[in-house]
């Protein structure tokens, strides 16, 4: 087994889903966090899986992971007030393991596949950083004060997903720079841009959704039933 580590972020407050800890909501009798972690385990490629969460949820998360803990070393790192802080906390927690690469994944994306994970690993090893993207299907508008003020060309836009893969030393250095800059970043590819290096892309999946709103799970399941 190579020295690859997965970092699963699950420290959000779940405000847009009504305050219920969304990673603990069950799909097919298993918690979302279970579904998000399992494909990483099934690849057999990760030495350790780190999960960032609030300390009061750690035992509940362990219980939800069940038999997964028998196949992979599961470690927990304290979550921060923002996703950026949580990822930085996880990176610092794994530093002593000196990983070659790290894949950072949203704990609220339960429909990730082994194929996407493997493709991100391959892209990361070859190019230093890699992320899955999908084309934007809706026209995107710029809005200010409830009026459309600008138009973008959809052909040049793509929506990014996770997991996002990086050489560990590079992304840790970029997170240090990001912390010192004192400005917010939306995701880890934006933080990685501080390195001045390019990020390779691979094909994502429209099923690899992030659970954000209460209807997300219901609508996804309904869509599957109609296929």
């Amino acid at each position: 087994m190579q020295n690859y580590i997965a970092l699963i972020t699950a420290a959000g407050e779940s405000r847009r889903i009504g305050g219920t800890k969304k990673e603990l909501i069950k799909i097919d009798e298993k918690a979302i966090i279970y579904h998000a972690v399992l494909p990483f385990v099934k690849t057999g490629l990760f030495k350790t899986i780190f999960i960032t969460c609030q300390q009061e949820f750690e035992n509940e998360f362990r219980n939800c992971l069940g038999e997964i803990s028998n196949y992979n070393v599961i470690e927990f790192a304290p979550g921060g007030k923002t996703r950026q802080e949580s990822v930085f906390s996880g990176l610092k927690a794994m530093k002593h393991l000196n990983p070659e690469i790290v894949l950072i994944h949203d704990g609220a994306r339960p429909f990730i596949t082994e194929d996407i994970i493997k493709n991100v690993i391959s892209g990361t090893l070859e190019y230093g950083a890699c992320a899955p993207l999908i084309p934007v299907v809706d026209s995107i508008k710029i809005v200010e004060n409830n009026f459309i003020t600008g138009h973008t060309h959809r052909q040049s836009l793509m929506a990014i997903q996770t997991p996002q893969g990086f050489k560990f030393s590079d992304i840790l250095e970029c997170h240090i720079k990001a912390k010192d800059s004192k400005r917010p970043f939306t995701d880890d590819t934006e933080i990685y841009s501080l390195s001045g290096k390019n990020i390779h892309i691979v094909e994502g999946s429209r099923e690899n959704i992030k659970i954000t709103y209460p209807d997300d799970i219901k609508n996804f399941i309904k869509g599957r039933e109609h296929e």
Side-chain angles (χ1 to χ4, degrees):
M1 183 181 294
Q2 302 296 322
N3 194 5
Y4 306 157
I5 291 182
L7 174 58
I8 315 295
T9 61
E13 296 180 355
S14 304
R15 284 175 293 191
R16 286 174 290 187
I17 207 165
T20 301
K21 189 63 177 167
K22 59 186 175 184
E23 291 88 359
L24 298 175
I25 295 173
K26 291 189 176 181
I27 300 175
D28 296 333
E29 300 183 351
K30 296 288 187 181
I32 284 175
I33 190 67
Y34 176 95
H35 293 291
V37 172
L38 183 61
F40 290 87
V41 174
K42 291 174 72 174
T43 66
L45 297 172
F46 294 90
K47 184 176 181 180
T48 309
I49 295 174
F50 276 79
I51 299 173
T52 62
C53 71
Q54 299 93 336
Q55 190 173 4
E56 61 265 30
F57 287 109
E58 185 175 323
N59 287 336
E60 197 167 355
F61 272 46
R62 288 188 185 276
N63 291 336
C64 288
L65 293 173
E67 76 279 4
I68 286 180
S69 300
N70 298 329
Y71 298 98
N72 263 69
V73 177
I74 304 293
E75 299 282 354
F76 286 84
K81 294 180 180 179
T82 65
R83 186 182 186 280
Q84 181 179 332
E85 289 180 3
S86 294
V87 172
F88 190 32
S89 172
L91 294 175
K92 289 187 293 183
M94 68 179 70
K95 184 178 179 181
H96 70 284
L97 297 173
N98 194 29
E100 180 180 358
I101 64 172
V102 58
L103 265 62
I104 303 170
H105 184 59
D106 299 321
R109 288 187 191 268
F111 306 113
I112 184 60
T113 66
E114 293 178 60
D115 285 341
I116 292 177
I117 292 169
K118 291 176 181 177
N119 289 341
V120 171
I121 289 175
S122 296
T124 303
L125 291 173
E126 184 170 357
Y127 298 100
C130 183
L133 287 91
I134 58 173
V136 172
V137 296
D138 296 316
S139 294
I140 305 298
K141 305 299 180 182
I142 300 169
V143 175
E144 294 180 15
N145 299 320
N146 295 323
F147 288 93
I148 294 175
T149 59
H151 307 270
T152 60
H153 295 289
R154 186 176 62 195
Q155 292 81 359
S156 62
L157 298 175
M158 299 191 78
I160 197 162
Q161 301 179 331
T162 67
Q164 299 173 3
F166 308 92
K167 291 290 183 68
F168 175 77
S169 58
D170 289 345
I171 192 62
L172 178 60
E173 181 180 349
C174 288
H175 262 273
I176 294 170
K177 291 180 180 178
K179 185 176 185 299
D180 292 340
S181 75
K182 301 187 185 302
R183 70 179 180 90
F185 293 82
T186 59
D187 77 335
D188 294 290
T189 60
E190 186 179 2
I191 290 174
Y192 184 79
S193 68
L194 295 174
S195 71
K197 300 176 182 178
N198 293 326
I199 301 163
H200 183 65
I201 68 169
V202 294
E203 184 178 359
S205 167
R206 299 209 176 277
E207 291 195 350
N208 185 24
I209 64 170
K210 183 178 181 182
I211 305 301
T212 304
Y213 297 101
D215 289 340
D216 286 343
I217 299 173
K218 181 176 65 177
N219 292 339
F220 180 81
I221 294 173
K222 187 184 295 184
R224 274 186 165 179
E225 290 173 348
H226 291 164
E227 289 180 355

